Amino acid sequence: GELSEGYETKELDSARSKSNDGDKQKFVRFRIKESNKDFKFTNGKDFCSIKEFKEVIVEHSLLNGKQVTFKLNNLARARAKCIGKCGFEIFCSKVGKNTTYKIKTCKPKYNYGKAFKNKNATSKWVSKVAVESLRTRNDVKLAQIIDDVRFKYSIGICLVVAWKARMIARAIVDRDVVR
């Protein structure tokens, strides 16, 4: 039937009144827009997939000059560790049968020096930097891409990575022009 406008009951509010908000842990889903140099990882941060978690860890490590590697790497869990023995470790795994992944161990203390030659700087990542240059100028040299990455992120990349990044960036720019 229909509900009358004046219908109120204490049964509907019982869950809210009995629960104590201080006892609950609030878990926040990660949004890719949040990723920046000052981003802080915390226990309970949710991710949509292990792939997203790895991309965020790699992006964060490149922006901060860290070099991380992934241990215990499969479809249900991943552990990011510093290549040195400084104690930096972040473990993310699947939550039950859900499609959510959560940080369960977070030791973000990183006291290893900056990594100039960072193996995480792949051509796919460098292409994001090269796209900015290619949108303004069409004839971007490989040396300019290498210098941009070195200047903006303090990361040294080789010629092959810069060449492949320029190819990926050109494809992205050409697709944007066609649309």
Side-chain angles (χ1 to χ4, degrees):
E2 294 179 36
L3 291 176
S4 64
E5 289 180 29
Y7 181 76
E8 291 183 33
T9 180
K10 293 185 182 201
E11 292 175 27
L12 296 176
D13 286 350
S14 61
R16 190 172 11 135
S17 63
K18 287 181 184 175
S19 71
N20 187 355
D21 288 340
D23 294 343
K24 287 186 179 180
Q25 279 186 316
K26 293 189 178 183
F27 299 114
V28 181
R29 182 170 294 276
F30 175 79
R31 289 182 174 70
I32 199 76
K33 296 174 195 170
E34 296 176 5
S35 180
N36 61 25
K37 188 174 183 171
D38 300 325
F39 180 77
K40 302 286 184 214
F41 291 98
T42 57
N43 281 340
K45 185 68 95 170
D46 288 343
F47 294 90
C48 295
S49 66
I50 287 293
K51 182 180 177 184
E52 182 187 42
F53 168 73
K54 289 179 186 177
E55 287 174 2
V56 170
I57 291 288
V58 167
E59 180 80 20
H60 187 264
S61 71
L62 289 169
L63 292 174
N64 290 302
K66 302 173 184 177
Q67 187 164 354
V68 297
T69 184
F70 290 98
K71 307 281 184 186
L72 190 69
N73 192 8
N74 62 30
L75 296 174
R77 58 189 180 220
R79 184 182 308 271
K81 288 187 123 183
C82 172
I83 61 160
K85 301 202 185 294
C86 70
F88 175 84
E89 177 182 2
I90 298 178
F91 176 70
C92 182
S93 66
K94 194 170 187 177
V95 179
K97 295 184 180 182
N98 297 337
T99 58
T100 304
Y101 296 83
K102 190 176 299 264
I103 292 179
K104 297 190 177 169
T105 302
C106 185
K107 298 176 187 172
K109 182 87 173 162
Y110 187 88
N111 54 12
Y112 196 68
K114 272 193 153 196
F116 181 69
K117 292 190 177 188
N118 198 328
K119 292 185 178 187
N120 294 327
T122 62
S123 55
K124 182 180 175 185
W125 183 81
V126 174
S127 69
K128 295 175 188 175
V129 177
V131 164
E132 298 169 13
S133 300
L134 279 171
R135 287 201 172 131
T136 57
R137 294 181 48 211
N138 196 21
D139 59 335
V140 175
K141 305 285 185 210
L142 295 178
Q144 184 180 355
I145 294 172
I146 293 170
D147 288 343
D148 285 349
V149 172
R150 184 178 298 145
F151 180 71
K152 289 180 183 175
Y153 303 103
S154 300
I155 297 172
I157 59 170
C158 65
L159 215 59
V160 174
V161 171
W163 175 78
K164 193 169 180 185
R166 183 174 67 178
M167 300 299 287
I168 294 169
R170 277 191 180 150
I172 291 169
V173 170
D174 289 346
R175 257 186 302 191
D176 289 347
V177 170
V178 171
R179 286 190 222 170

